[in-house]
Amino acid sequence: MYCVTPSSAAMASSAPDIRPYRAEDNATLVDIWHRASSVAHDFLPAELLVAQKKLVSEKYLPETETWVAVDGETPVGFIGLIDSFIGGLFVSPDCQGGGIGSTLLDHAFRLKGHLLLEVYAANTRALSFYRRHGFCGIKRRQTDDNGLPFPLIMMQKPVPTTWQRSEIGAARN
């Protein structure tokens, strides 16, 4: 991947290309998902991530609107959309911090104009990333989709206009 080659500094300054998912991307994207999830969700049981790999491969990647960030033809990240809901945004751990996630997120926002997502509360790096991109927490639940005690925060962009007005008024008082 370009992120670990000597030319990575030149690549980091340009945005990656974004293209639709292709069936031949599956194994590479599942690997990116697993490696990135292992880092970002280190609080989840390892066996859960292993079990979820099959779902990612057989259901989530082929059945969602998946966009792939590529360096040449090499996938380096992806975003999966279900209407305006982000099912997942993952960037290869070797390539994080170079703008790939931002490019994918911007692409999705241009397509949809409104985005929702859920993020683990314990994933503070992702929470900060989404906040920097204009997302606001709108709801919290105490267990994840597996019934495990890992809180999830639902976030959306743009912030509802009624919230913006009330926040402005509160700031003035």
Side-chain angles (χ1 to χ4, degrees):
M1 285 182 203
Y2 79 80
C3 303
V4 295
T5 64
S7 62
S8 65
M11 285 298 301
S13 64
S14 64
D17 289 330
I18 307 294
R19 63 162 171 77
Y21 168 81
R22 300 177 188 156
E24 60 266 22
D25 296 329
N26 193 283
T28 302
L29 297 185
V30 169
D31 178 63
I32 289 170
W33 171 85
H34 189 257
R35 289 185 302 116
S37 292
S38 296
V39 173
H41 307 141
D42 60 349
F43 49 89
L44 292 175
E47 60 273 8
L48 177 63
L49 293 179
V50 170
Q52 288 179 336
K53 277 178 92 167
K54 185 174 180 174
L55 279 173
V56 170
S57 176
E58 295 177 4
K59 183 169 180 59
Y60 299 134
L61 287 172
E63 293 183 15
T64 63
E65 180 182 349
T66 301
W67 294 92
V68 182
V70 293
D71 170 30
E73 284 299 310
T74 304
V76 292
F78 67 94
I79 189 167
L81 302 170
I82 305 162
D83 296 321
S84 61
F85 184 83
I86 299 173
L89 170 59
F90 296 92
V91 174
S92 172
D94 302 332
C95 301
Q96 291 179 3
I100 295 167
S102 296
T103 300
L104 285 163
L105 197 56
D106 292 344
H107 178 79
F109 191 73
R110 281 192 309 275
L111 288 173
K112 305 299 179 178
H114 175 263
L115 294 171
L116 290 166
L117 61 90
E118 278 192 313
V119 61
Y120 282 104
N123 189 350
T124 56
R125 186 172 179 204
L127 279 169
S128 295
F129 171 80
Y130 291 123
R131 285 183 181 128
R132 281 193 314 273
H133 285 277
F135 283 80
C136 179
I138 60 170
K139 188 174 19 173
R140 182 181 178 108
R141 59 183 172 121
Q142 294 305 310
T143 58
D144 68 9
D145 292 339
N146 300 297
L148 296 173
F150 300 113
L152 289 166
I153 299 171
M154 180 171 277
M155 302 181 87
Q156 80 174 37
K157 177 183 175 176
V159 177
T161 55
T162 55
W163 288 12
Q164 290 172 349
R165 283 193 293 263
S166 65
E167 287 176 4
I168 291 168
R172 290 183 183 157
N173 293 332

